[in-house]
């Protein structure tokens, strides 16, 4: 095995190792590693690419030939299986196939049928003149009919997720405030006997009348469970059995939390001007706040 072959195998292994798994997003570090390894691969096989371009008679279309060779390298990496052959075998066949395809397209232009309709294969980097008189490449002139739909769908999904998080945050904060108000009303100063000095130094405030830290911790735990139930039951439509197994909250309690949350979130949304667009104009009557 030559040094070039060994270096290619190592570079391809780096690319493969930094590709994200299904459903996962590629990190910036992974992208940088892939780009560096891919550039290394192109450098190693550059002499081979030049040889094949000359062999297929595409010197006059050098830039297009180099581009299809880059595409061939991408496809070779995707199809590469070290158990079947070395990477050089995969990439050679891919490069040959892409260059043959390019040559076929160029030859097709010379056929009578192509001349009849004045068909011509041009470089995707060819420069044309746009409507405003400025130079524009052929790539920029290609209209992506699905671009607007994808953009709108992506924006809609982003706004929906942001609105969902804001609604849930508001609901949890509402529950926290209600619970804290109840704790403060129930709290009482300790009636244990105190010395005169202690009485002088003791200053009680109405907003923090000896709320038990254990109660606060229990409240936060309960709110965490409630949040998970609301997120997964109301917005992800998780089954009751799955929620019961993951959170330890029985199914009847899950139903109660979800039902109460749905009603309260709707009321909070109707009172928040940020969600005015979600309110049906026919439901103009102001909703009365409900304490749960």
């Amino acid at each position: 095995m030559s040094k070039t072959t060994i270096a290619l195998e190592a570079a391809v292994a780096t690319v493969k190792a930094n590709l994200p798994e299904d459903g996962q997003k590629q990190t910036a570090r992974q992208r940088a590693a892939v780009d560096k390894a891919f550039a290394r691969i192109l450098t190693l096989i550059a002499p081979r690419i030049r040889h094949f371009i000359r062999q297929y008679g595409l010197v006059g279309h050098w830039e297009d030939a180099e581009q299809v060779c880059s595409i061939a390298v991408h496809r070779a990496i995707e199809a590469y299986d070290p158990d079947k052959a070395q990477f050089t075998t995969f990439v050679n066949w891919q490069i040959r196939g892409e260059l043959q395809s390019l040559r076929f397209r160029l030859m097709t232009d010379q056929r009578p049928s192509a001349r009849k309709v004045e068909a011509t294969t041009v470089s995707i980097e060819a420069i044309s003149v746009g409507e405003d008189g400025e130079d524009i490449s052929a790539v920029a002139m290609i209209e992506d009919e699905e671009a607007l739909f994808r953009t709108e769908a992506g924006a809609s999904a982003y706004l929906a997720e942001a609105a969902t998080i804001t609604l849930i945050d508001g609901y949890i904060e509402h529950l926290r405030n209600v619970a804290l108000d109840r704790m403060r009303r129930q709290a009482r100063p300790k009636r244990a006997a105190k010395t005169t000095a202690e009485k002088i130094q003791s200053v009680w405030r109405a907003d923090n009348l000896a709320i038990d830290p254990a109660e606060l911790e229990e409240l936060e735990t309960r709110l965490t469970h409630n949040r998970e139930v609301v997120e997964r039951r109301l917005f992800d439509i998780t089954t009751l059995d799955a929620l019961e197994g993951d959170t330890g909250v029985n199914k009847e309690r899950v139903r109660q939390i979800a039902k109460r949350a749905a009603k309260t979130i709707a009321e909070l949304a109707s009172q928040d001007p940020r969600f005015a667009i979600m309110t049906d104009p026919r439901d103009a009557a102001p909703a009365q706040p409900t304490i749960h």
Side-chain angles (χ1 to χ4, degrees):
M1 186 181 297
S2 67
K3 293 182 179 180
T4 300
T5 301
I6 295 174
L8 279 173
E9 294 290 332
V12 173
T14 300
V15 173
K16 289 284 198 179
N18 286 278
L19 293 177
E21 298 181 359
D22 293 340
Q24 294 185 354
K25 187 177 180 180
Q26 190 178 35
T27 64
R29 179 175 296 181
Q30 287 177 326
R31 286 195 299 271
V34 169
D35 291 343
K36 184 177 180 180
F38 187 77
R40 174 63 174 162
I41 293 172
L42 290 181
T43 301
L44 289 170
I45 65 173
R48 190 175 317 180
I49 290 176
R50 291 194 292 269
H51 167 74
F52 283 137
I53 291 175
R54 296 189 182 95
Q55 186 182 49
Y56 280 83
L58 295 171
V59 175
H61 300 270
W62 195 274
E63 290 184 357
D64 289 330
E66 285 186 330
Q67 290 173 3
V68 299
C69 287
S70 296
I71 294 173
V73 174
H74 275 291
R75 292 178 175 173
I77 293 173
E78 292 178 356
Y80 175 53
D81 185 351
D83 294 333
K84 294 182 179 179
Q86 294 178 347
F87 179 72
T88 52
T89 302
F90 282 86
V91 76
N92 284 348
W93 281 107
Q94 288 289 350
I95 291 175
R96 286 176 178 273
E98 292 294 337
L99 291 176
Q100 179 64 32
S101 177
L102 176 61
R103 186 170 69 172
F104 177 78
R105 292 195 300 273
L106 294 171
M107 291 175 60
T108 301
D109 294 346
Q110 308 304 318
R111 296 181 180 182
S113 58
R115 293 176 179 176
K116 186 176 180 180
V117 296
E118 298 181 351
T120 304
T121 299
V122 298
S123 169
I124 61 176
E125 296 298 328
I127 301 298
S128 302
V129 179
E131 296 179 357
D132 55 0
E134 295 184 358
D135 292 341
I136 185 173
S137 69
V139 175
M141 297 175 64
I142 298 175
E143 181 179 358
D144 185 353
E145 297 179 353
E146 300 295 328
L148 180 60
F149 171 78
R150 291 198 303 271
T151 301
E152 291 179 345
S156 177
Y158 172 80
L159 292 174
E161 182 179 2
T164 297
I165 294 173
T166 302
L167 283 170
I168 296 175
D169 287 344
Y171 172 65
I172 296 300
E173 186 62 23
H174 166 77
L175 293 184
R176 180 180 287 108
N177 291 335
V178 170
L180 289 176
D181 287 342
R182 185 174 61 250
M183 289 180 183
R184 292 189 184 104
R185 290 195 302 269
Q186 294 175 351
R188 292 292 184 272
K190 296 181 179 179
R191 299 182 180 276
K194 297 184 179 181
T195 65
T196 304
E198 289 176 338
K199 290 180 179 180
I200 294 175
Q201 296 175 0
S202 179
V203 178
W204 293 97
R205 293 183 179 180
D207 59 345
N208 61 352
L209 289 177
I211 297 178
D212 189 350
E215 292 184 6
L216 292 176
E217 184 177 354
E218 181 182 354
L219 170 62
E220 291 303 323
T221 300
R222 187 165 64 251
L223 292 178
T224 300
H225 286 162
N226 282 9
R227 185 184 190 95
E228 184 174 3
V229 169
V230 171
E231 288 178 344
R232 297 179 58 185
R233 183 59 181 168
L234 292 185
F235 296 96
D236 288 343
I237 318 300
T238 305
T239 64
L240 293 173
D241 290 333
L243 274 173
E244 183 178 21
D246 294 342
T247 65
V249 182
N250 62 61
K251 289 187 281 188
E252 183 56 34
R253 180 57 180 161
V254 168
R255 290 193 189 94
Q256 294 174 1
I257 293 174
K259 182 178 180 180
R260 181 181 64 181
K263 181 180 179 181
T264 305
I265 287 175
E267 294 174 352
L268 293 173
S270 67
Q271 299 165 13
D272 193 326
R274 292 175 297 178
F275 302 104
I277 193 174
M278 301 180 182
T279 304
D280 191 334
R282 293 172 296 183
D283 301 333
Q288 297 297 324
T290 303
I291 304 300
H292 297 277

